[in-house]
Coordinates of all heavy atoms in Angstrom, one line a residue:
C509 N 2.9 20.8 -0.7 CA 2.0 20.1 -1.6 C 2.7 19.1 -2.4 O 3.9 18.9 -2.3 CB 1.2 21.1 -2.5 SG 2.2 21.8 -3.8
E511 N 3.7 19.0 -5.3 CA 4.7 19.6 -6.2 C 6.1 19.7 -5.4 O 7.1 19.8 -6.1 CB 4.3 21.0 -6.7 CG 3.1 21.0 -7.6 CD 3.4 20.3 -8.9 OE1 4.5 20.5 -9.5 OE2 2.5 19.5 -9.4
C514 N 7.2 24.1 -2.3 CA 6.7 25.3 -1.5 C 5.8 24.8 -0.4 O 5.5 23.6 -0.3 CB 5.8 26.2 -2.4 SG 4.4 25.4 -3.0
H516 N 2.1 25.6 1.1 CA 0.8 26.4 1.0 C 0.4 26.8 2.4 O 0.5 25.9 3.3 CB -0.3 25.5 0.4 CG -0.1 25.3 -1.1 ND1 -0.6 26.2 -2.0 CD2 0.5 24.3 -1.8 CE1 -0.3 25.8 -3.2 NE2 0.3 24.7 -3.1
C571 N 0.4 27.9 -7.7 CA 1.2 26.7 -7.8 C 0.7 25.8 -8.9 O -0.5 25.8 -9.2 CB 1.0 26.0 -6.4 SG 1.9 24.5 -6.3
C573 N 0.1 22.8 -8.6 CA -0.8 21.8 -8.1 C -2.3 22.3 -8.3 O -3.2 21.5 -8.1 CB -0.5 21.5 -6.7 SG -1.1 22.8 -5.5
S575 N -3.9 24.6 -6.5 CA -4.5 25.2 -5.3 C -4.4 26.7 -5.4 O -3.4 27.3 -5.8 CB -3.8 24.7 -4.1 OG -4.3 25.5 -3.0
R579 N 1.4 30.8 -1.1 CA 2.6 30.0 -0.7 C 3.8 30.7 -0.1 O 3.9 31.9 -0.4 CB 3.1 29.3 -2.1 CG 2.1 28.6 -2.8 CD 2.6 28.0 -4.1 NE 2.9 29.0 -5.1 CZ 3.7 28.8 -6.1 NH1 4.4 27.7 -6.2 NH2 3.9 29.8 -7.0
Ligands
ZN1 ZN1 0.9 23.4 -4.6

Side-chain angles (χ1 to χ4, degrees):
C509 70
E511 294 291 317
C514 63
H516 284 275
C571 182
C573 78
S575 171
R579 304 179 287 159

